[in-house]
Amino acid sequence: MEQAEIIDRIKELKEKRNAVILAHYYSRPEVQDVADFVGDSLGLSQEAVKQDADVIVFCGVHFMGESAAVLCPDKTVLMPEIDASCPMADMADEKALREEKKKHPNAAVVCYVNSSAAVKAESDICCTSANAVEVVNSLEADEILFVPDKNLAAYVAAHTDKKVIPWEGHCPCHHQIMKADVLNMKKKHPEAKFIAHPECRPEVLELADNVASTRGMIVYAKESDSQEFIVGTECGLLHGLSKASPDKKFYCVSGYACCPSMKMVDLENLLASLEKMQTIITVSEAVRAGAKQALDRMLEVKLNK
Ligand code: 13P
Ligand code: SF4
């Protein structure tokens, strides 16, 4: 089938099933272009809750589909590619977290949404890269056990008076962005601003003009007077950046900054997902209640921006 034909068929089936397509900014450009809403992790959770569709097709990684299933139990949540899991989310499991909690009985557990529903259920509250500092500062506890990203934990620690205890996890895509990559690109593009995601290493973030979530970077680049940007995140964001600011130039900081899991959804498996109504994401009721509480608490926290 030609691409245009696949797109028409996706649109037809979307109507027929009363479905909505949500896609993360790291998805393939053609998938972003066919989606009803493209967003960062926070925006996608908020959008999932707002939808009155019967079906949500999630183009992203497993924890995102799971969060939608937790937040919207009355809807059918489909993921076109069930193998698209986030390696960082897989670095924490609920059993290990229960053990760690015993070592820090006074700590509140803040869990980055890049985690399984079972880990969320063991946590007091979730956060995303867009609200991590606000979430931590909203808590009464002075000690925070932060799961699973050590880089986001370090970023939060630099913006709070609380003691932040990091989990030993990281995003392979962001963690391989090195200080030398940034310095090389700055030499090549001396006029460019460097924008970076807080999943990057602390020494990389030190060089950034702006640290923000994926959506935060799009907003910053659009509002900035600068015309050129070195982008310190997954390469898929270049599509959203260029769409929002078509006259500006964006350079990926590292040729290695690609998340294979985020590229597993394409137009073919998106169409197949709507045709066959698969794969349906389910979460056991026992886990769902705890995970929902942690996500709901996060959605209630007011942002400073
Ligand atoms: P945000 O969209 O929240 O910035 O998260 C980035 C990410 O790694 C999602 O997997
Ligand atoms: Fe996970 Fe990193 Fe890929 Fe996001 S970019 S899904 S954090 S591996």
Side-chain angles (χ1 to χ4, degrees):
M1 231 191 278
E2 293 291 315
Q3 196 181 79
E5 218 180 311
I6 299 178
I7 293 171
D8 286 346
R9 186 85 187 107
I10 289 173
K11 287 182 181 161
E12 253 171 57
L13 273 174
K14 226 177 51 169
E15 291 279 307
K16 190 172 155 199
R17 309 261 194 240
N18 190 23
V20 68
I21 300 174
L22 306 186
H24 190 269
Y25 285 122
Y26 296 160
S27 331
R28 289 171 183 253
E30 64 275 21
V31 169
Q32 294 187 42
D33 291 344
V34 87
D36 297 288
F37 181 82
V38 184
D40 64 3
S41 306
L42 179 61
L44 290 168
S45 294
Q46 289 166 329
E47 205 57 33
V49 176
K50 271 194 240 158
Q51 296 305 321
D52 56 13
D54 296 319
V55 177
I56 295 177
V57 190
F58 221 112
C59 305
V61 287
H62 194 256
F63 75 80
M64 297 180 170
E66 235 189 13
S67 293
V70 164
L71 289 168
C72 318
D74 51 329
K75 297 182 179 56
T76 302
V77 178
L78 301 177
M79 289 203 70
E81 175 52 73
I82 196 66
D83 289 334
S85 74
C86 165
M88 167 158 57
D90 296 340
M91 289 176 196
D93 67 67
E94 64 279 19
K95 207 165 146 242
L97 178 55
R98 276 197 291 271
E99 289 307 308
E100 201 59 25
K101 279 165 71 171
K102 283 185 201 154
K103 293 186 206 158
H104 308 284
N106 297 324
V109 182
V110 177
C111 141
Y112 190 25
V113 286
N114 299 37
S115 54
S116 67
V119 164
K120 289 182 176 78
E122 280 294 329
S123 304
D124 293 299
I125 187 166
C126 290
C127 73
T128 74
S129 58
N131 61 15
V133 173
E134 282 92 345
V135 164
V136 165
N137 284 333
S138 75
L139 299 172
E140 274 185 19
D142 293 324
E143 246 181 65
I144 307 293
L145 178 55
F146 194 96
V147 194
D149 186 10
K150 64 176 176 183
N151 288 336
L152 184 58
Y155 176 74
V156 170
H159 292 84
T160 183
D161 294 332
K162 297 180 193 285
K163 180 180 172 195
V164 180
I165 305 155
W167 191 267
E168 251 318 302
H170 64 270
C171 161
C173 170
H174 288 85
H175 202 56
Q176 61 73 38
I177 298 173
M178 299 299 181
K179 189 174 172 180
D181 295 325
V182 184
L183 296 175
N184 284 340
M185 287 299 279
K186 277 182 173 254
K187 232 185 242 167
K188 275 194 205 161
H189 306 285
E191 299 300 319
K193 288 253 194 292
F194 175 49
I195 54 178
H197 194 278
E199 286 175 18
C200 293
R201 292 165 184 263
E203 62 268 30
V204 166
L205 296 184
E206 265 175 34
L207 299 172
D209 296 290
N210 177 251
V211 177
S213 76
T214 47
R215 184 182 135 70
M217 283 191 242
I218 291 177
V219 172
Y220 175 84
K222 197 173 155 81
E223 290 176 354
S224 166
D225 292 336
S226 296
Q227 296 303 307
E228 290 178 72
F229 301 84
I230 300 163
V231 182
T233 192
E234 209 276 344
C235 59
L237 192 67
L238 263 69
H239 185 63
L241 284 163
S242 307
K243 254 182 140 171
S245 308
D247 299 330
K248 298 190 178 183
K249 287 189 182 144
F250 299 97
Y251 316 110
C252 205
V253 70
S254 154
Y256 303 118
C258 177
C259 174
S261 295
M262 282 288 187
K263 305 294 184 255
M264 285 185 191
V265 176
D266 67 0
L267 292 176
E268 275 87 359
N269 59 25
L270 173 51
L271 174 57
S273 172
L274 276 162
E275 272 170 349
K276 298 176 192 158
M277 289 293 284
Q278 68 184 31
T279 300
I280 297 176
I281 306 300
T282 53
V283 178
S284 76
E285 198 45 44
V287 167
R288 201 188 74 79
K292 183 164 185 320
Q293 191 175 52
L295 281 164
D296 282 344
R297 283 185 182 149
M298 168 186 88
L299 294 172
E300 280 160 20
V301 173
K302 295 265 167 298
L303 289 185
N304 294 328
K305 27 188 141 92

